[in-house]
Amino acid sequence: MTGTSPSGVRLGIDLGGTKIEVIALDARGHTLYQTRTPTPKHTDAQQQYQHILNTIQSLVGDCENNLKQKNLPVGIGMPGAVSLKTGLVKNANTTCLIGRNFNSDLNETLNRKVALENDANCFALSEATDGAGQQQACVFGVILGTGVGGGIVINEKVFIGANAIAGEWGHNPMPWINDKDLPKQTCYCGQHGCIETYLSGPGFEKQSHMQLNTNLTCQELFTQRHASASAGLAYTLYVERLAKALASVINVLDPNIIVLGGGLSNIDTLYEDIPKRWGKYIFSDEVNTKLVKNQFGDSSGVRGAAWLTKV
């Protein structure tokens, strides 16, 4: 933890593949300052990594100058995790981070100890602290976008796990698979039939192309589901698969609430259709787990990063 400032103000940084965002929250979670800038790109990994550090330093400096405060606590969400064995970044989509001692380099660059966490965990923490999952003992935060990720928050504390992979449900196999789920796609992780290959935006689109011989984009498959027979079937299959995948999480974690985030969380019919289907896969005579949409949209990640500094 980075501690607290006398004013109760804390900063959050969301390091994404396309943008880096900073936010300043007061003790009640009100936004005092917020801005974003494109994530630096470079063909040389070392150069890109240094540019990212410099950009974060600049964003923090500009924010503190705007607020006329210094040395505020900083939390940072990133696409990946810190290995508990080596202290180095692993599993990062922003590949220039992999193998780096990002935490140490951030501490040196910002001249303070920062709190560093996976971006999906930050999303879950945001929604559990003052979002759609607030006052719930166990929150499972789900990212449905270009990939499939997740985070677990118990009593407003991120649960990291023994291997720093808690909540990474996207790289489990699709459960209760049947002929309607064939053929399986190969996942970038090296396995076949991972949940991510069915439920991410690109995975859903590719699976529909393979299985239904449609050339519709992910967005078109959802928006045309009432007008196109193939889009309608693709939607039905997506709902069933998401119901199965979430049911397998409920059977293990038994969360009070599941909060959806990412681009596909904006499909409003999911919140009614999924609970109608997941009961037959859940090992219980009743299902009390709620499925809800996030409260803070694409700002959940950066807000959660700020809440990492909460003692």
Side-chain angles (χ1 to χ4, degrees):
M1 296 296 177
T2 64
T4 57
S5 67
S7 63
V9 178
R10 50 179 51 87
L11 306 186
I13 296 282
D14 181 25
L15 169 57
T18 59
K19 53 87 177 174
I20 303 178
E21 184 172 7
V22 63
I23 198 170
L25 300 180
D26 68 12
R28 295 185 177 183
H30 298 140
T31 301
L32 304 178
Y33 180 90
Q34 187 172 12
T35 191
R36 59 177 60 178
T37 190
T39 301
K41 305 293 183 184
H42 202 284
T43 55
D44 180 79
Q46 176 60 40
Q47 291 283 350
Q48 184 184 12
Y49 181 70
Q50 189 58 54
H51 288 329
I52 287 173
L53 289 172
N54 294 343
T55 299
I56 291 173
Q57 182 182 43
S58 178
L59 286 170
V60 169
D62 289 346
C63 182
E64 290 184 330
N65 287 337
N66 183 277
L67 298 174
K68 295 180 172 57
Q69 298 191 52
K70 293 183 178 181
N71 299 315
L72 293 170
V74 177
I76 298 179
M78 65 166 183
V82 174
S83 168
L84 299 181
K85 179 181 179 180
T86 66
L88 308 180
V89 174
K90 63 178 181 178
N91 302 343
N93 291 335
T94 302
T95 56
C96 71
L97 301 178
I98 294 175
R100 310 279 185 178
N101 196 331
F102 195 35
N103 207 339
S104 176
D105 291 339
L106 286 167
N107 292 343
E108 181 178 349
T109 299
L110 298 178
N111 195 29
R112 74 198 78 180
K113 186 177 180 181
V114 305
L116 181 64
E117 191 51 78
N118 172 263
D119 51 7
N121 289 344
C122 291
F123 164 78
L125 180 60
S126 169
E127 295 297 331
T129 300
D130 62 348
Q134 61 182 306
Q135 298 182 338
Q136 300 293 324
C138 181
V139 177
F140 184 57
V142 169
I143 303 296
L144 295 173
T146 55
V148 171
I152 301 167
V153 175
I154 300 174
N155 296 326
E156 295 190 15
K157 300 292 183 183
V158 173
F159 179 71
I160 299 172
N163 304 292
I165 57 170
E168 288 291 356
W169 69 307
H171 293 285
N172 287 324
M174 176 62 65
W176 298 286
I177 200 162
N178 56 49
D179 290 345
K180 294 180 179 179
D181 299 316
L182 301 177
K184 296 180 182 179
Q185 295 182 52
T186 300
C187 185
Y188 75 86
C189 73
Q191 301 296 332
H192 302 273
C194 288
I195 287 171
E196 180 165 307
T197 66
Y198 291 98
L199 299 181
S200 68
F204 172 52
E205 183 177 306
K206 184 177 179 181
Q207 188 69 26
S208 299
H209 292 177
M210 293 167 55
Q211 192 170 2
L212 304 177
N213 195 29
T214 173
N215 60 358
L216 297 176
T217 66
C218 174
Q219 182 178 7
E220 290 169 343
L221 286 166
F222 283 112
T223 58
Q224 297 182 26
R225 63 186 181 275
H226 298 301
S228 163
S230 58
L233 178 55
Y235 174 78
T236 298
L237 291 171
Y238 186 88
V239 168
E240 190 70 19
R241 290 162 181 161
L242 183 51
K244 290 192 294 187
L246 291 177
S248 68
V249 172
I250 294 172
N251 284 340
V252 175
L253 184 61
D254 202 13
N256 300 86
I257 196 165
I258 297 174
V259 185
L260 299 188
L264 299 186
S265 70
N266 295 317
I267 310 300
D268 290 335
T269 51
L270 295 178
Y271 302 96
E272 181 178 353
D273 292 340
I274 301 299
K276 289 179 181 178
R277 289 168 170 80
W278 67 15
K280 59 187 175 183
Y281 301 109
I282 295 172
F283 191 61
S284 177
D285 60 343
E286 63 177 354
V287 183
N288 296 314
T289 301
K290 305 298 183 185
L291 180 69
V292 300
K293 187 177 182 179
N294 63 83
Q295 182 171 326
F296 294 112
D298 67 356
S299 289
S300 271
V302 73
R303 291 179 62 87
W307 289 127
L308 289 173
T309 67
K310 186 177 180 181
V311 177

